[in-house]
Amino acid sequence: MGNLKILTFVCNWCSYGGADQAGGLKLVYPESIRLVKVMCSGRVDPQMVVNALRDGADGVLVLGCHPGDCHYKEGNYAAQNRATLLAPMLQQFGIEEQRFRLDWVSAGEGERFSKVVTEMHDAVAPLGKLHLHSRSTSEVA
Amino acid sequence: MSEAKPKVAFYWCASCGGCEEAIVDLNVAMLDVAAAIEIVLWPVALDHKYSDVEVLADGEIAVSFINGAIRTDEQAHIAELLRKKSGLVVAFGSCAHLGGIPGLANLTSRREIFRMSYHESPTVVNPQKTEPIPGGQCEGKEVALPEFWEQVHTLDQLIEVDYYLPGCPPMPGGIANAVNAILTGNLPAKGAVLAPDKALCETCGRRQSKDPRTRIAKIHRPHEIEADPQVCFLEQGIICCGPATRSGCGEACINGNMPCSGCYGAPPGVTDQGAKLLAAISTLFDAKTPEDAQALARQVVDPAGSFYRYGVPASVLARTIEKE
Ligand code: SF4
Ligand code: SF4
Ligand code: SF4
Ligand code: FES
């Protein structure tokens, strides 16, 4: 299970700070977690999520500021609304609900960052790698 | 027929016949087209044999218009044959372009389709549990059926496609323009979609009524309310695919007071029409709590079917993962 990849988007203003603090405190978290910094959780277009899953991510985690704290005021509400509709749609494609999650981590929450990403890893690990079907016809029949 | 006329083929794969109808709908214009070309294959209208195509030289057909998605080996075989014999191949209509309505079958599996169609459908009586198989012996003779593949494909997942004519079906004006462009050699770069680059919302007459501050408090399905024919559908809480659909149909559905369901596919710059639409619509939700967001999300009865109605096979995820 060592080669699981969980793409984790962290917003610049809160969650990245949380990840940074986790690093400063030398908290341990799973190596499957791959961080990508974005300006805001509201910047994470669902196209980025499906592309990540197609390109080898076994799970996608989006972390933003707590409700009311978004640097851009409403970005995390947009993220919440999208995630709430994206989750059932991913399930229609057979992608288990554990493989996609949105949560909140503030800049001072190093501990919480480590807890949330570890939970995410532990939820995806039993499912194993994500195997999407190829789109080309060469693997059919 | 004169030697100089370009040879043209029309073919249908997993298709409803609407694209064939669209060609016939060219009406009088069709007569001009028919006078300018030599049709070498058109199973729905004319009595050619596949062997008529097999004897042609490679590239001898000027252009093949292929509609319908690909799900059987017979469709794949003819599409490959036409590719070999044709200078140009045009994916005609949403099914060939994106997988289309038959592509929605990628949200289930071959096993489920067979289970429902041959065993569990209330109108089926099948005590011997017969299912189609690709071939075998029957009363001492070899019989063969096209093999039904695991998933539905777009035409360009099978063969190289030169141009795409979008729409379910393509609009007559678009077809006529494409045919003229081909006959006069006045074509854009290979791989182009033969329709404008703008999104439908940019050309829609209702766009002025769109208020950027609008939030949707309730989603209505088109049959549930009488839509105001002047006002943007999204303003009225009706899902409209205009924000992530290519223009070129002349706002056909909007003018009939129905929301766009996305048949012209994604405009340039959008890699996944459904994910883009999901973003455009959910961002409008009037919700700040998880509960309110849930309540609205639940009102979108079939997200994949609503946002990828014509394009599951062309989408990034392409089909449902079948679980053992
Ligand atoms: S694109 Fe539409 S009209 Fe054409 S074959 Fe497919 S379903 Fe029928
Ligand atoms: S969402 Fe639909 S009704 Fe509104 S402007 Fe766009 S295409 Fe027109
Ligand atoms: S309005 Fe939308 S669904 Fe209707 S014809 Fe145009 S692109 Fe297709
Ligand atoms: S800036 Fe952190 S969620 Fe918007």
Side-chain angles (χ1 to χ4, degrees), chain B:
Chain B
M1 282 193 204
S2 106
E3 290 294 305
K5 285 184 184 175
K7 294 188 169 65
V8 174
F10 297 98
Y11 195 70
W12 53 352
C13 296
S15 150
C16 77
C19 279
E20 304 283 347
E21 189 64 44
I23 296 169
V24 177
D25 280 349
L26 289 173
N27 275 324
V28 189
M30 183 67 206
L31 296 177
D32 295 339
V33 172
I37 63 175
E38 180 191 343
I39 297 172
V40 294
L41 181 72
W42 191 7
V44 82
L46 301 170
D47 186 21
H48 298 101
K49 301 284 176 261
Y50 294 149
S51 54
D52 299 340
V53 176
E54 280 157 7
V55 299
L56 297 174
D58 288 359
E60 191 176 337
I61 302 173
V63 50
S64 283
F65 294 95
I66 302 180
N67 70 72
I70 306 291
R71 186 159 207 166
T72 70
D73 58 355
E74 183 196 29
Q75 292 156 356
H77 170 70
I78 304 297
E80 280 166 346
L81 175 68
L82 288 172
R83 173 68 277 182
K84 193 157 160 265
K85 302 292 181 185
S86 308
L88 295 176
V89 168
V90 176
F92 189 102
S94 309
C95 295
H97 178 203
L98 306 167
I101 297 293
L104 286 169
N106 279 4
L107 296 173
T108 178
S109 63
R110 174 170 67 180
R111 199 173 53 184
E112 283 298 303
I113 291 169
F114 276 21
R115 195 172 59 77
M116 180 49 84
S117 303
Y118 295 103
H119 306 290
E120 290 188 0
S121 166
T123 53
V124 165
V125 180
N126 183 7
Q128 292 174 335
K129 306 206 182 309
T130 308
E131 283 190 3
I133 53 168
Q137 295 278 331
C138 180
E139 294 171 5
K141 296 202 176 82
E142 273 301 315
V143 290
L145 270 182
E147 181 165 0
F148 188 84
W149 282 355
E150 278 295 339
Q151 72 191 83
V152 180
H153 289 280
T154 65
L155 187 60
D156 68 1
Q157 288 167 359
L158 177 77
I159 60 169
E160 209 175 307
V161 167
D162 298 289
Y163 295 102
Y164 301 85
L165 200 51
C168 179
M171 289 292 159
I175 302 172
N177 286 343
V179 170
N180 279 332
I182 290 164
L183 291 179
T184 57
N186 188 14
L187 280 162
K190 188 177 141 111
V193 176
L194 303 176
D197 282 347
K198 284 184 176 165
L200 191 70
C201 283
E202 292 176 60
T203 59
C204 173
R206 301 192 191 192
R207 71 187 183 285
Q208 261 81 21
S209 64
K210 228 177 172 178
D211 180 343
R213 290 159 307 180
T214 295
R215 293 291 173 265
I216 301 174
K218 176 153 176 40
I219 303 219
H220 304 280
R221 301 179 81 187
H223 63 275
E224 290 172 347
I225 59 167
E226 203 166 319
D228 182 329
Q230 311 298 329
V231 178
C232 169
F233 283 105
L234 288 176
E235 290 283 318
Q236 306 183 61
I238 298 169
I239 293 174
C240 181
C241 299
T245 298
R246 191 184 281 269
S247 59
C249 66
E251 294 78 65
C253 299
I254 312 287
N255 294 338
N257 206 19
M258 279 295 283
C260 172
S261 53
C263 79
Y264 266 54
V270 172
T271 54
D272 192 89
Q273 188 185 21
K276 191 76 198 170
L277 277 168
L278 183 142
I281 278 121
S282 56
T283 307
L284 297 174
F285 284 1
D286 187 9
K288 291 203 167 151
T289 64
E291 294 73 30
D292 287 352
Q294 263 310 337
L296 274 151
R298 263 193 229 108
Q299 292 168 19
V300 182
V301 178
D302 173 9
S306 305
F307 303 132
Y308 294 98
R309 182 155 321 160
Y310 304 91
V312 176
S315 73
V316 168
L317 297 173
R319 77 172 268 206
T320 293
I321 303 169
E322 198 184 354
K323 294 283 169 327
E324 288 315 313

Side-chain angles (χ1 to χ4, degrees), chain A residues 10-15 38-43 63-66 69-77 79 104-105:
Chain A
V10 284
C11 82
N12 180 54
W13 302 99
C14 287
S15 310
V38 289
M39 289 313 281
C40 174
S41 62
R43 172 66 185 86
L63 297 177
C65 312
H66 284 269
D69 289 346
C70 172
H71 188 77
Y72 306 97
K73 294 203 165 56
E74 307 237 312
N76 54 359
Y77 295 129
W104 318 124
V105 170

Side-chain angles (χ1 to χ4, degrees), chain A residues 63-127:
Chain A
L63 297 177
C65 312
H66 284 269
D69 289 346
C70 172
H71 188 77
Y72 306 97
K73 294 203 165 56
E74 307 237 312
N76 54 359
Y77 295 129
Q80 176 168 271
N81 289 337
R82 283 179 207 156
T84 312
L85 189 53
L86 182 57
M89 198 196 79
L90 292 176
Q91 287 174 47
Q92 288 184 285
F93 282 94
I95 294 166
E96 300 89 343
E97 58 177 326
Q98 295 91 326
R99 294 193 191 270
F100 174 67
R101 176 172 170 181
L102 168 76
D103 217 319
W104 318 124
V105 170
S106 79
E109 291 181 323
E111 294 272 0
R112 182 173 159 77
F113 171 82
S114 147
K115 174 173 166 284
V116 171
V117 299
T118 305
E119 276 172 16
M120 178 74 185
H121 173 89
D122 291 348
V124 174
L127 305 173

